[in-house]
Amino acid sequence: MRSEIGKYNMGVNKRFIGRDNVLGVYDISGMEGLKKYFFQPDILLFTDTFAANMYSLLYDKKDRVAERKIKKELIISN
């Protein structure tokens, strides 16, 4: 009897996210692009607290607060 486990083999979309990723995506695509970047993958793996905090703010629909913090971080890094 053949196993049916492999019949519906689906991949998992995971993404490693860090401060530089968040700032880069925001710089290129704005807040809408950042939301897509965060909410499309199945699994998010955060490499720092900044990225995790930005995700939490967007998840809680605090877009303006997140955008202010990102803009502040962009000014500091330039």
Side-chain angles (χ1 to χ4, degrees):
M1 180 185 256
R2 187 172 160 253
S3 173
E4 293 293 321
I5 294 173
K7 185 176 180 183
Y8 302 104
N9 190 7
M10 295 177 58
V12 176
N13 185 4
K14 65 183 173 185
R15 185 169 286 160
F16 289 89
I17 300 176
R19 176 186 171 275
D20 293 339
N21 301 103
V22 172
L23 298 178
V25 170
Y26 176 80
D27 198 29
I28 293 169
S29 304
M31 286 305 285
E32 289 306 312
L34 192 57
K35 288 179 193 177
K36 287 181 183 177
Y37 184 75
F38 275 134
F39 299 123
Q40 281 183 347
D42 300 320
I43 299 171
L44 299 174
L45 302 164
F46 297 103
T47 60
D48 55 41
T49 55
F50 177 79
N53 290 341
M54 292 304 103
Y55 173 80
S56 293
L57 288 171
L58 291 177
Y59 183 81
D60 293 338
K61 304 212 184 299
K62 297 180 181 177
D63 298 8
R64 289 184 179 175
V65 176
E67 192 163 20
R68 266 188 268 132
K69 289 186 180 215
I70 290 170
K71 286 180 178 179
K72 183 178 178 183
E73 198 70 21
L74 282 170
I75 292 170
I76 291 170
S77 66
N78 287 334

